[in-house]
Amino acid sequence: MNAIIALSLLGIFTLFTGIFNWRKAMLPIVVIGLAGVFVLNGMDYFTTPSWYADYTHMVIFDRYAVVFSAALIMITAMLFFLCKQYYQKEDNNISDIYGLILFTLVGGMLMASFSNFAMLFLGIEILSIPLYILAGTKRLEVTSNEASIKYFLMGSFSTGFLLFGMALVYGAAHTFTLDGIRQYTDAHAGDLPTIFVAGIMLMLVGMLFKVSGAPFHFWAPDVYSGAPTLITTFMATVVKTAAFAALYRLLFYTFGSAKPIWFDALWGVAALTMIIGNFSALYQHGVKRMLAYSSISNAGYLLIGVIAMNTHSANSIFYYTLVYSLASLVSFGVLMLVTQDNGGDDSYTAFKGLARNNPALAGLMTLAMLSLAGIPPLAGFFGKYYIFINAMENGYIYIVLIAVANSLVGIYYYFKVIVAMFAKDTAPTKIAVQPAYLFALVVAAALLFVLGIFPDWVSGLMN
Amino acid sequence: MNSINEIIRTIPLNYYIFLSAVLFCIGVMGVLLRRNIIIIFMCVELMLNAVNLLFTAFSAYSSDPAGQVFVFFVMVVAAAEIAVGLAILVMIYRNLKTIDIDQLSRLKW
């Protein structure tokens, strides 16, 4: 809880550094601040969560919340290392951008720790509203504008569904607290009233918009490819992690005993998301758009983790989101450099010959792609492995078969990037990379490798 | 407070549910069918206000103030959201000189 307060103050302070024009100090302040927030958040890991229930039962920092928040803070800190080089031209507003990213993180942490519907709603909105602005930060580019308005319209549209669902659930259960609603669900598990069932379904629609599950995914490719790549990275990593943390928390802590109601719907959505995401990714010409569809298909794999819902599910979802975020960070990071170097061209041909003159970048990209494809020594493999094994324990064979077939399809388009990088025909120039930028990418790639060899370092954090 | 609750309760709960469901559906159809971005904003507001009505009705019927407090959250967030949305709209108008959503179709595959 202290972490959220400290982070909000850090965000406000960052805005002030813009007023006083402390350009040089801004990045160190934010990174050191985030390190402090990370420690504050980590301290909650060892305290008993009941103490925090005193915040009028609005948020609860149990291990689930602390672990997810730690991942969100870590990924955001890495993103800040990429910020400086990416936003060189928009230097005038850089403090606003930093501040907005920090506020978005506050929303993400609330989404991982809510114990009341009001906090779920506020968390989602605190996360979304700064993102609408961030998606439009390249304000002279029409694609950025378009991404911004599309994200805004879809975001507020889905919030409407979420709220209507909340209202119906409230009408049946007469409370907004997760505990109260769980008691209500447990007590009426056999014969839930129609408005309650409709409420669950509408809330699910709202949440599925946020995690970009098919058929509510159509906004994602446009927004991901139109937004500035740094913000796309942020959406694919931090926002996706927060959305899944919220979805799983909502379903597990409140509607767990109503599983027969939402199970079939979510099963279908998971299968559809994987299939649509993967097969659309096959036909993309741009790597950025391919990664956007890949993000959709990864949401499908994560939904399998959500529907499995047993004692290991939270851990496996956390491991998968962390690993996926790291791999996305690296791949979007390299993509940003290549795109800028090629004057905005993000097609596969832009990657041709990258390995010859920029072996470090090509190596990082290869690692990320292999991890996303799920090749064994890397962490991406274990992410998928945990999710699939977890679903198999519950006996959900068919969905796992669909998922395995889909991840085989995925290998094709991830390898297309690798093949392009190691092709010999053209040799692009050497790309200038700032040390901080390279540092963040190397750390993320190293983590992918280390977490693949020692997956149990993080996979048991919630026990 | 009690008297207001009693006044609200003079109309059966189902009527409130139907009214807000209808308002919500009008909002949804508006978002999906209208092409002018400002009209779409208004339809989103309509959806949120349908929810507010529902919260208030349920709150009065269950004598639980939480629902009415929630309405304030929704109103505040809706105001913040619409402020950002109009800013985005101004940005788009400066670049494209139009606010027709069909003109925004550069991002397609």
Side-chain angles (χ1 to χ4, degrees):
Chain A
M1 182 65 211
N2 295 326
I4 286 183
I5 298 168
L7 194 58
S8 311
L9 291 176
L10 179 66
I12 295 166
F13 185 72
T14 313
L15 291 179
F16 275 106
T17 59
I19 297 173
F20 299 131
N21 226 342
W22 298 337
R23 285 284 155 68
K24 290 262 160 34
M26 217 175 284
L27 190 65
I29 287 173
V30 169
V31 171
I32 293 169
L34 278 177
V37 170
F38 189 85
V39 172
L40 268 180
N41 178 55
M43 276 154 62
D44 284 347
Y45 186 75
F46 302 104
T47 51
T48 42
S50 58
W51 187 83
Y52 287 101
D54 287 343
Y55 280 93
T56 55
H57 298 279
M58 282 291 173
V59 292
I60 179 163
F61 265 78
D62 50 4
R63 293 208 159 168
Y64 181 86
V66 170
V67 169
F68 266 106
S69 302
L72 294 175
I73 296 167
M74 194 182 79
I75 301 286
T76 313
M78 286 179 169
L79 269 170
F80 273 113
F81 282 108
L82 311 188
C83 256
K84 202 174 174 195
Q85 182 164 4
Y86 187 73
Y87 275 120
Q88 267 165 344
K89 284 177 194 153
E90 284 82 359
D91 211 22
N92 287 332
N93 318 334
I94 195 74
S95 67
D96 302 353
I97 293 168
Y98 284 10
L100 287 173
I101 291 179
L102 290 174
F103 292 137
T104 312
L105 182 58
V106 173
M109 285 173 70
L110 273 180
M111 282 166 77
S113 63
F114 69 96
S115 83
N116 188 305
F117 277 2
M119 284 299 123
L120 171 64
F121 168 62
L122 284 183
I124 286 178
E125 289 303 311
I126 295 172
L127 177 96
S128 302
I129 293 177
L131 266 180
Y132 304 146
I133 307 171
L134 285 170
T137 38
K138 298 249 172 185
R139 63 192 161 84
L140 297 178
E141 288 175 17
V142 180
T143 49
S144 178
N145 294 348
E146 189 180 331
S148 182
I149 193 78
K150 277 188 179 165
Y151 197 39
F152 173 80
L153 290 177
M154 281 307 119
S156 43
F157 189 56
S158 68
T159 304
F161 282 99
L162 184 75
L163 278 175
F164 203 78
M166 279 180 186
L168 292 178
V169 169
Y170 171 71
H174 304 306
T175 176
F176 286 118
T177 59
L178 295 197
D179 275 340
I181 294 165
R182 189 184 59 228
Q183 281 160 16
Y184 179 86
T185 321
D186 290 347
H188 300 75
D191 53 335
L192 285 164
T194 320
I195 56 166
F196 192 81
V197 175
I200 293 178
M201 285 306 175
L202 282 168
M203 282 187 81
L204 266 185
V205 169
M207 292 305 292
L208 284 172
F209 261 111
K210 296 287 174 197
V211 303
S212 70
F216 313 109
H217 70 288
F218 48 84
W219 58 273
D222 288 358
V223 171
Y224 278 36
S225 57
T229 314
L230 190 89
I231 305 307
T232 310
T233 320
F234 196 65
M235 288 177 194
T237 57
V238 172
V239 175
K240 186 142 281 192
T241 306
F244 268 100
L247 176 65
Y248 187 73
R249 195 180 182 91
L250 178 71
L251 288 178
F252 182 74
Y253 287 91
T254 51
F255 304 132
S257 50
K259 194 172 175 181
I261 294 169
W262 50 260
F263 177 77
D264 289 331
L266 219 51
W267 194 100
V269 168
L272 202 62
T273 309
M274 285 186 292
I275 292 168
I276 290 182
N278 266 307
F279 283 89
S280 310
L282 280 181
Y283 294 105
Q284 299 309 315
H285 302 296
V287 174
K288 195 174 177 186
R289 222 173 154 81
M290 180 277 278
L291 285 173
Y293 276 108
S294 138
S295 154
I296 294 174
S297 67
N298 276 290
Y301 301 132
L302 277 161
L303 282 172
I304 301 175
V306 173
I307 60 172
M309 197 170 282
N310 53 33
T311 45
H312 306 297
S313 283
N315 278 319
S316 63
I317 290 173
F318 169 70
Y319 186 80
Y320 196 98
T321 48
L322 177 66
V323 165
Y324 170 71
S325 301
L326 290 169
S328 298
L329 188 88
V330 176
S331 50
F332 277 112
V334 176
L335 173 73
M336 260 187 262
L337 292 173
V338 173
T339 314
Q340 274 184 341
D341 193 58
N342 283 285
D345 176 23
D346 68 345
S347 63
Y348 286 98
T349 42
F351 279 82
K352 274 198 176 157
L354 191 73
R356 184 177 288 177
N357 280 325
N358 303 286
L361 292 182
L364 288 170
M365 189 72 174
T366 310
L367 260 179
M369 287 294 136
L370 290 177
S371 177
L372 283 171
I375 304 296
L378 290 163
F381 169 75
F382 288 99
K384 288 201 172 75
Y385 174 80
Y386 284 139
I387 294 259
F388 295 168
I389 286 292
N390 209 2
M392 296 279 272
E393 272 175 23
N394 283 17
Y396 305 149
I397 306 291
Y398 291 110
I399 190 87
V400 174
L401 284 179
I402 297 174
V404 170
N406 269 296
S407 47
L408 290 178
V409 173
I411 291 176
Y412 172 75
Y413 56 81
Y414 292 129
F415 270 69
K416 230 162 106 179
V417 179
I418 299 179
V419 168
M421 284 192 302
F422 287 92
K424 280 187 178 170
D425 22 353
T426 49
T429 47
K430 183 130 182 74
I431 300 170
V433 194
Q434 288 179 358
Y437 198 100
L438 200 62
F439 171 75
L441 295 188
V442 168
V443 168
L447 276 176
L448 277 181
F449 206 74
V450 172
L451 290 181
I453 297 168
F454 306 105
D456 42 335
W457 281 6
V458 293
S459 66
L461 277 176
M462 282 172 217
N463 300 336
Chain B
M1 183 70 195
N2 272 334
S3 61
I4 294 173
N5 277 354
E6 277 154 25
I7 295 166
I8 292 175
R9 279 186 219 158
T10 51
I11 302 171
L13 182 59
N14 277 345
Y15 288 21
Y16 285 109
I17 297 177
F18 286 132
L19 175 62
S20 46
V22 166
L23 279 177
F24 188 80
C25 290
I26 293 171
V28 170
M29 294 319 287
V31 172
L32 294 177
L33 297 178
R34 294 305 292 261
R35 301 288 79 177
N36 185 318
I37 297 179
I38 290 188
I39 306 273
I40 295 177
F41 283 3
M42 288 160 68
C43 292
V44 169
E45 289 297 300
L46 196 60
M47 287 165 69
L48 296 183
N49 282 322
V51 173
N52 285 347
L53 181 64
L54 199 56
F55 273 133
T56 318
F58 281 137
S59 168
Y61 267 85
S62 58
S63 303
D64 173 40
Q68 293 176 31
V69 175
F70 205 110
V71 171
F72 287 110
F73 282 113
V74 177
M75 279 157 64
V76 167
V77 166
E81 212 171 49
I82 218 71
V84 168
L86 287 173
I88 295 171
L89 193 58
V90 170
M91 178 175 78
I92 286 173
Y93 184 74
R94 279 183 184 163
N95 280 338
L96 291 178
K97 302 288 173 220
T98 176
I99 52 168
D100 186 342
I101 197 101
D102 285 335
Q103 300 300 313
L104 291 165
S105 53
R106 276 166 186 73
L107 300 168
K108 265 182 191 159
W109 60 293

